[in-house]
Amino acid sequence: MSDATATIPDTSSATAAEPRWLDLEEQQTWRAFLSATQLLMDRLDRQLQHEAGIVHTYYEMLVRLSEAPDRSLRMSDLAASSLSSRSRVSHAVARLEERGWVRRESCPTDGRGLIAVLTEEGFAALESAAPGHVEAVRGNLFDQLDVEQVAHLREISERLLEHLTATGAVSPVPPLPAPAHPAAAERTAS
Amino acid sequence: MSDATATIPDTSSATAAEPRWLDLEEQQTWRAFLSATQLLMDRLDRQLQHEAGIVHTYYEMLVRLSEAPDRSLRMSDLAASSLSSRSRVSHAVARLEERGWVRRESCPTDGRGLIAVLTEEGFAALESAAPGHVEAVRGNLFDQLDVEQVAHLREISERLLEHLTATGAVSPVPPLPAPAHPAAAERTAS
């Protein structure tokens, strides 16, 4: 009720400003962007499901764990680093645990917390999925753009990321990779 | 801390062609793009759920229906125009039908087919959700970029879209399981 309504125009007021509708060019840009990102993510999902049996968001969680000290992260940190909600991470970790790729342990420094640990099998699965995944990312993104376009894409993405993290539910200046901590948003959502 | 190359597991065996791993700059570009798009879509979802009780993909389906002649589309055309699988569209339409925003009718020209029709209530819901949604798209995307960046974003998106649509139908990968929606996952769960 509090924060969210601040960004939403008051439509009940008769004096509310006219919505800033997108003009034709903006609409075309927005739809191309939406469609391209949706198709790209679907393509990456299909490739990973075909080769490794997991969707891209699960793959990214395995990557985050593989980069962490002792290949383990508190569930809350895994959620933050993968920009997911706690509930989505819990669901994903449960699925990955069924395959023996991740296991949950109680946190040594915090009896109430849980940590997710990448198993040897999980690391092997990641190693085996990585070449096909990177080829899909190259073939469907980097190979399609020239050097300038890649630079533009980075500039645009970093600008948007800066805005989105600054206006997210938590810290205005989060450390990179800069989660907007959806878990906090969930707590205040209802 | 771990260097960025840790994104890609260190593979010691090099039997097949060496994968074209991303270099550091490419990794940073890819991660910024992934995070920005994910946070943007989450932001739009949250805004729409808050105001209209639906996620962004459902909103987009209502938009497609609102633009179609007689505000109706065959289910297969709705799937194609919203870049979704048939099963995802069926699931979405069932949810929207529960609210009275869409109804399904048998197709007049094809007895086996079904068409989805936007109801008056659905059109009214769309009208009422649109101002808040467009403000979220403006505030989180267009307002953050200058004119040149918007032009670059369009150019990049159209290039990727051209590639993804051109390679979509002729993918060597077999037509794959419609990415996990909960109902499908449940059916195959045990």
Side-chain angles (χ1 to χ4, degrees):
Chain A
M1 300 279 185
S2 52
D3 284 335
T5 50
T7 61
I8 295 164
D10 180 7
T11 51
S12 65
S13 157
T15 60
E18 178 67 13
R20 298 185 296 150
W21 301 117
L22 303 187
D23 66 28
L24 181 59
E25 284 217 0
E26 288 167 332
Q27 277 187 52
Q28 289 169 340
T29 301
W30 172 235
R31 291 203 173 178
F33 172 71
L34 255 192
S35 300
T37 51
Q38 188 177 334
L39 285 176
L40 177 60
M41 296 309 153
D42 283 354
R43 188 71 55 93
L44 299 182
D45 269 346
R46 286 216 305 274
Q47 186 276 331
L48 277 168
Q49 279 182 315
H50 183 75
E51 281 207 15
I54 52 173
V55 292
H56 185 223
T57 51
Y58 287 22
Y59 178 90
E60 286 289 316
M61 287 180 199
L62 295 179
V63 170
R64 295 293 170 282
L65 288 172
S66 77
E67 293 173 342
D70 301 323
R71 294 181 189 164
S72 62
L73 282 171
R74 296 163 66 104
M75 297 289 278
S76 52
D77 293 335
L78 180 56
S81 74
S82 56
L83 306 176
S84 273
S85 66
R86 285 293 293 274
S87 63
R88 273 193 282 189
V89 165
S90 292
H91 186 77
V93 166
R95 296 289 83 71
L96 294 167
E97 197 167 30
E98 284 168 4
R99 303 190 171 210
W101 291 1
V102 168
R103 67 172 180 275
R104 278 174 288 194
E105 294 178 355
S106 59
C107 181
T109 60
D110 172 6
R112 297 176 312 159
L114 273 180
I115 59 174
V117 183
L118 184 66
T119 64
E120 283 301 321
E121 292 81 357
F123 190 77
L126 189 57
E127 262 192 335
S128 128
H133 174 61
V134 78
E135 187 55 37
V137 171
R138 271 215 183 280
N140 293 297
L141 181 74
F142 290 102
D143 288 352
Q144 304 306 322
L145 305 176
D146 62 30
V147 175
E148 275 210 317
Q149 288 173 317
V150 171
H152 292 155
L153 181 62
R154 177 172 183 166
E155 184 186 287
I156 291 166
S157 299
E158 289 180 344
R159 174 68 205 110
L160 296 179
L161 192 53
E162 185 185 17
H163 162 76
L164 289 160
T165 51
T167 56
V170 173
S171 156
V173 190
L176 282 175
H181 221 315
E186 278 182 1
R187 281 199 297 275
T188 59
S190 60
Chain B
M1 303 307 294
S2 60
D3 67 2
T5 54
T7 301
I8 311 301
D10 179 31
T11 62
S12 39
S13 62
T15 50
E18 181 67 13
R20 299 184 296 151
W21 301 120
L22 303 187
D23 65 26
L24 181 59
E25 284 216 1
E26 289 166 332
Q27 282 187 48
Q28 290 169 339
T29 301
W30 172 235
R31 290 204 172 180
F33 172 71
L34 256 192
S35 300
T37 51
Q38 187 177 335
L39 285 177
L40 177 60
M41 297 309 152
D42 284 354
R43 188 71 56 94
L44 298 182
D45 269 345
R46 287 215 305 274
Q47 187 275 330
L48 276 168
Q49 281 181 312
H50 181 77
E51 276 208 16
I54 53 172
V55 292
H56 185 222
T57 51
Y58 288 21
Y59 178 90
E60 286 291 316
M61 288 180 199
L62 296 179
V63 170
R64 295 294 169 280
L65 289 173
S66 76
E67 294 171 342
D70 300 324
R71 293 180 189 167
S72 63
L73 283 171
R74 295 163 66 103
M75 296 291 277
S76 52
D77 294 335
L78 180 56
S81 73
S82 57
L83 305 176
S84 272
S85 66
R86 287 293 292 275
S87 65
R88 273 193 283 187
V89 165
S90 293
H91 185 79
V93 167
R95 294 290 82 71
L96 293 167
E97 197 167 30
E98 286 168 2
R99 302 190 172 211
W101 291 0
V102 169
R103 65 172 182 273
R104 278 173 289 194
E105 294 177 355
S106 57
C107 182
T109 60
D110 171 7
R112 298 176 312 159
L114 273 180
I115 58 173
V117 184
L118 185 65
T119 64
E120 283 301 321
E121 291 80 358
F123 190 77
L126 190 55
E127 264 191 331
S128 131
H133 175 61
V134 76
E135 186 56 36
V137 171
R138 272 216 182 277
N140 292 297
L141 183 74
F142 290 102
D143 288 353
Q144 304 306 320
L145 305 176
D146 62 31
V147 175
E148 276 210 316
Q149 289 173 319
V150 171
H152 293 155
L153 181 62
R154 177 173 184 165
E155 182 187 287
I156 291 166
S157 298
E158 289 180 344
R159 174 69 205 109
L160 297 179
L161 192 53
E162 185 184 17
H163 161 76
L164 289 160
T165 51
T167 55
V170 292
S171 167
V173 178
L176 275 174
H181 79 60
E186 278 168 17
R187 282 198 298 274
T188 59
S190 59

